[in-house]
Amino acid sequence: MAGKSDLTVPMSISAGIHIGFIIILALGISFDDKPKVMQTAAASAPALKAIVIDQQKVNDRVEQLKKQKQDVAQQEKARQAELERKALEARREREREQEKIKTLEIQRKQKEQETQKANDAAKAAQAKQVLEKERADKAEVVRKQKEQEQKAAEDAAKKAAEKRKQEEAAAKKAQEERQRAEDERKRKEDAERKRKAEADNKARQEREMAEAMAAEQDSLSKTRNRQVLSEVDKYKAMIIATIQRNLVVDESMRGKSCRVFIRLAADGFVTTSQTLDGDQVVCRAAKASINKAGRLPVSPEPAVYQQLKEINLTVSPEFN
């Protein structure tokens, strides 16, 4: 126990000295300027005489403590720098957040404005649609009214047209009946006139034939001393004279002629008459004259008839 007590005291003293040095270092007290005091304190402390203090170890410890202090200071400085960095970063982050919030707020306000504009536009479009629908409804009502009016007008026009058509049909029917009655009357009158004309014409032809024969005989007797006509020439002359008597002439025929072909039966009946060439007006008149005559003079002698049964004659209108 005594040995242990002897070791405890020096260790306590040594520990106290070390703690003192630490306190001195902590308070910034330098030992370089006060070596003598420590020596004096060491010389004056009877308990320290037994302890041999290694000055180099103390210095090393002091350096170690200084380094530790510097490390602590650097760590503290680094910690402070990190804190400042983090604070700066946090401030910048807050600024970014605030800027983002401002941007979002601006976007929100813009979106609200756009939404408001869209709502206003939608309301305006809806109001426009309502107005257009009202106009369309009014236009539809007007259109239907016009359609009804047009339909009524068309129905009235159709009825009027049908009535007019019926009236026209009735008038046409009455006109047709009147026309048929008139045509029947004219037909009867024409038939009567035709029968009368045919009878008159036949009587006239017979009379003219007799007159022609008498005239021809008279003419032949008068010209017998001057010229003796052959039987053929004589009957040709008689035929031409008969055609001339029945020929209806006008001034447009003056100086014009027409050649005709005639085929005769044995009794002088004209079986064929045909125009060959010449003035059309004269040709029509000559054909009409031949048809009107019906019969032409022929000789009773067969030899003369053979020469006259198919003859070509030239008809030239004569003017007094």
Side-chain angles (χ1 to χ4, degrees), residues 204-222:
R204 182 177 59 79
Q205 286 179 355
E206 291 176 353
R207 186 175 61 254
E208 288 177 350
M209 180 68 68
E211 291 175 355
M213 293 294 292
E216 186 65 21
Q217 290 295 330
D218 183 64
S219 176
L220 288 175
S221 63
K222 289 181 179 179

Side-chain angles (χ1 to χ4, degrees), residues 96-112:
R96 286 194 294 270
E97 289 293 329
Q98 290 176 356
E99 188 66 26
K100 186 176 180 180
I101 290 171
K102 288 181 180 179
T103 302
L104 291 174
E105 182 65 18
I106 292 171
Q107 293 177 353
R108 183 186 65 79
K109 289 182 178 180
Q110 288 178 349
K111 187 158 185 165
E112 285 182 354

Side-chain angles (χ1 to χ4, degrees), residues 47-282:
L48 297 176
K49 289 181 181 180
I51 300 171
V52 179
I53 299 173
D54 190 345
Q55 184 65 37
Q56 184 62 39
K57 291 183 178 180
V58 172
N59 291 336
D60 292 341
R61 183 60 179 171
V62 169
E63 290 297 327
Q64 184 179 4
L65 292 174
K66 283 183 180 181
K67 187 174 182 307
Q68 289 178 351
K69 182 180 178 182
Q70 290 175 355
D71 292 340
V72 170
Q74 288 178 354
Q75 291 177 358
E76 181 65 19
K77 185 176 179 180
R79 189 180 68 81
Q80 291 294 331
E82 181 65 19
L83 290 175
E84 289 178 358
R85 186 187 67 77
K86 289 183 177 181
L88 179 61
E89 183 65 26
R91 185 173 70 252
R92 290 177 178 175
E93 184 64 25
R94 286 194 302 275
E95 290 176 352
R96 286 194 294 270
E97 289 293 329
Q98 290 176 356
E99 188 66 26
K100 186 176 180 180
I101 290 171
K102 288 181 180 179
T103 302
L104 291 174
E105 182 65 18
I106 292 171
Q107 293 177 353
R108 183 186 65 79
K109 289 182 178 180
Q110 288 178 349
K111 187 158 185 165
E112 285 182 354
Q113 292 176 355
E114 292 174 355
T115 303
Q116 184 64 34
K117 289 181 180 179
N119 292 334
D120 294 340
K123 289 180 181 179
Q126 186 176 5
K128 184 177 180 181
Q129 289 178 354
V130 172
L131 181 60
E132 289 178 351
K133 187 176 183 303
E134 291 177 354
R135 290 177 178 174
D137 293 340
K138 291 180 180 179
E140 182 65 16
V141 171
V142 172
R143 185 186 65 79
K144 288 182 177 180
Q145 289 178 350
K146 288 184 177 179
E147 284 184 353
Q148 292 176 354
E149 292 174 356
Q150 184 176 359
K151 188 175 184 302
E154 289 176 354
D155 292 340
K158 185 176 180 181
K159 290 179 181 179
E162 290 178 354
K163 184 178 179 181
R164 184 172 61 253
K165 186 176 180 181
Q166 292 174 356
E167 292 175 351
E168 289 176 352
K172 183 178 181 182
K173 185 177 180 181
Q175 179 64 27
E176 289 175 351
E177 290 178 354
R178 288 194 299 270
Q179 187 64 39
R180 281 197 296 270
E182 181 67 17
D183 292 343
E184 183 64 18
R185 184 184 64 80
K186 288 182 178 180
R187 186 185 65 78
K188 290 179 179 180
E189 290 180 354
D190 291 341
E192 185 177 355
R193 281 197 299 268
K194 185 176 181 182
R195 285 195 299 270
K196 184 178 180 181
E198 288 177 351
D200 293 343
N201 187 44
K202 185 176 181 181
R204 182 177 59 79
Q205 286 179 355
E206 291 176 353
R207 186 175 61 254
E208 288 177 350
M209 180 68 68
E211 291 175 355
M213 293 294 292
E216 186 65 21
Q217 290 295 330
D218 183 64
S219 176
L220 288 175
S221 63
K222 289 181 179 179
T223 60
R224 191 174 306 238
N225 295 327
R226 290 177 299 151
Q227 181 181 8
V228 177
L229 297 175
S230 69
E231 287 292 310
V232 173
D233 292 335
K234 180 181 72 175
Y235 279 94
K236 278 187 178 181
M238 291 172 65
I239 291 171
I240 292 173
T242 302
I243 294 172
Q244 289 288 354
R245 282 195 299 272
N246 291 322
L247 189 66
V248 178
V249 299
D250 59 35
E251 286 296 321
S252 66
M253 300 179 185
R254 187 179 292 275
K256 298 176 182 177
S257 63
C258 176
R259 289 179 65 249
V260 296
F261 167 78
I262 301 173
R263 181 180 289 115
L264 298 173
D267 61 350
F269 184 79
V270 178
T271 59
T272 302
S273 65
Q274 181 180 354
T275 58
L276 299 177
D277 54 41
D279 182 78
Q280 291 183 359
V281 177
V282 176

